[in-house]
Amino acid sequence: VRETAETFGRTKKEIEIHLDLAQDLLPIEGDRSQLEQVLFNLYVNAWQAMPSGGELFIATRNITHEDMGGRLYKPKKGSYVLLTVRDTGVGMDKEIQDRIFEPFFTTKEMGHGTGLGLASAYGIVKGHGGYIDVESEKGKGSTFKIYLPASKRPLEKKSMVSSVLKGGKGTVLLVDDEDHIIQIGKDLLTAMGYEVFVASSGPEAIESYKQNRDKIDLVILDMIMPKVTGKEVYQRLKEIDPDVKVLLSSGYSLDGEAQEILDQGCDGFIQKPYRMKELMKAIERILWPSER
């Protein structure tokens, strides 16, 4: 939580972040990359609700099922870790709150976001045996609460990813048709020190590369996009510049079309949602293979 908050804070200077993290937090069993995605989705959602800046309060503490009364669901008995993310943004009325976790529901105008960010967060939390709630009022901000079941297994200490993050040196073109992936990816890359261009469609990516090819060191290319696919974009980029370096990304595993693009000379593959450490290593492997 501390690491993702610091990464987000470095790229969103207009937001003041307050951390209140319990030192004796119980361990949970979970997929780190998926939980990072949940955190960034909540941060991006809060940022979008505070267009003129604001404050973001992030807290963690230990609770039990007895502290979770008054909900529409009946939580399983036991101990939980509670993560609270509260913003001072525009807030939501009851109608929006009731639909906020529905796939493809979005309050943004047409063409700006698919509304999958909070729906995917909901799915990930559910997949971890947890619960997610939202409390909000129009004009008074929003509070998201995530309850994750505590584990009885001993905690395995691991080093912080931030301690191994290497300063980026170069410029990346990030191509993805999902708004929240673009935002999260840009934040991660910026935090690593890279300059970032973004494109949300195949034609936009091709045009951006044409205009900035002398500056762009690497293209991170989403494989699954409407109209012009990642494969078509890759082939067009190779026509523009035979030496273009491309890291293919997809929510699916490496098979079929992804493998076909790699066989055509694509430089690497990373599965979404990607973690900071994995993304850093994938980029370094392509840009500076001699340093490995």
Side-chain angles (χ1 to χ4, degrees):
V1 173
R2 185 183 301 280
E3 190 175 292
T4 55
E6 288 175 354
T7 299
F8 191 72
R10 282 195 292 269
T11 60
K12 295 289 179 286
K13 304 292 188 186
E14 70 274 25
I15 295 177
E16 186 177 350
I17 297 177
H18 306 271
L19 294 178
D20 180 13
L21 309 180
Q23 296 302 309
D24 61 344
L25 209 60
L26 295 169
I28 64 163
E29 295 182 47
D31 182 295
R32 179 174 180 140
S33 62
Q34 288 188 358
L35 293 175
E36 281 182 354
Q37 182 183 345
V38 170
L39 289 166
F40 276 115
N41 282 341
L42 292 179
Y43 301 161
V44 169
N45 185 74
W47 167 70
Q48 290 172 336
M50 299 185 289
S52 301
E55 295 181 275
L56 186 60
F57 299 84
I58 305 166
T60 57
R61 66 186 179 96
N62 298 320
I63 64 167
T64 71
H65 66 280
E66 294 175 346
D67 301 307
M68 298 165 63
R71 306 295 175 190
L72 295 175
Y73 52 82
K74 186 177 181 181
K76 292 181 180 177
K77 292 182 178 181
S79 297
Y80 289 82
V81 167
L82 168 62
L83 167 75
T84 305
V85 178
R86 178 170 67 87
D87 64 63
T88 57
V90 295
M92 297 176 281
D93 58 29
K94 184 69 167 64
E95 183 181 357
I96 292 176
Q97 287 181 62
D98 289 343
R99 300 189 61 194
I100 196 71
F101 298 116
E102 291 180 13
F104 305 109
F105 175 73
T106 178
T107 57
K108 303 182 189 72
E109 59 187 277
M110 187 66 74
H112 294 272
T114 59
L116 284 173
L118 291 176
S120 67
Y122 178 88
I124 290 169
V125 172
K126 283 293 183 186
H128 282 74
Y131 307 90
I132 182 169
D133 293 328
V134 61
E135 299 168 2
S136 185
E137 193 175 331
K138 200 76 173 170
K140 294 188 178 180
S142 300
T143 301
F144 286 86
K145 293 183 177 181
I146 292 175
Y147 306 88
L148 295 170
S151 172
K152 295 178 181 176
R153 293 171 58 186
L155 177 65
E156 294 178 18
K157 294 275 186 182
K158 293 190 177 179
S159 60
M160 297 286 283
V161 172
S162 55
S163 65
V164 297
L165 281 180
K166 181 175 178 178
K169 38 187 178 180
T171 301
V172 176
L173 171 59
L174 176 62
V175 186
D176 203 292
D177 66 320
E178 293 283 357
D179 267 9
H180 71 286
I181 295 291
I182 283 279
Q183 188 60 56
I184 292 167
K186 184 179 179 181
D187 287 345
L188 290 177
L189 291 164
T190 302
M192 292 177 200
Y194 294 98
E195 295 291 324
V196 186
F197 291 102
V198 297
S200 57
S201 69
E204 189 181 338
I206 294 165
E207 188 58 36
S208 180
Y209 193 78
K210 276 183 184 176
Q211 294 179 8
N212 304 289
R213 59 177 289 186
D214 293 336
K215 302 175 187 173
I216 295 171
D217 301 293
L218 174 72
V219 180
I220 300 178
L221 178 61
D222 183 22
M223 193 179 81
I224 310 296
M225 294 188 292
K227 295 181 182 178
V228 181
T229 66
K231 181 179 179 181
E232 293 170 308
V233 173
Y234 175 73
Q235 292 169 343
R236 186 72 186 93
L237 293 179
K238 290 292 279 187
E239 290 172 7
I240 297 169
D241 178 9
D243 297 322
V244 63
K245 294 186 183 298
V246 178
L247 174 62
L248 195 64
S249 74
S250 173
Y252 299 97
S253 58
L254 181 56
D255 56 12
E257 193 165 292
Q259 186 61 57
E260 189 180 328
I261 299 172
L262 283 178
D263 292 342
Q264 291 176 4
C266 187
D267 300 274
F269 175 84
I270 188 167
Q271 189 165 356
K272 296 187 291 187
Y274 27 72
R275 289 168 52 178
M276 285 186 277
K277 190 174 181 180
E278 292 167 351
L279 183 60
M280 177 194 68
K281 285 185 175 180
I283 293 173
E284 287 181 359
R285 197 177 294 120
I286 295 170
L287 294 184
W288 310 288
S290 62
E291 294 184 15
R292 298 186 60 78

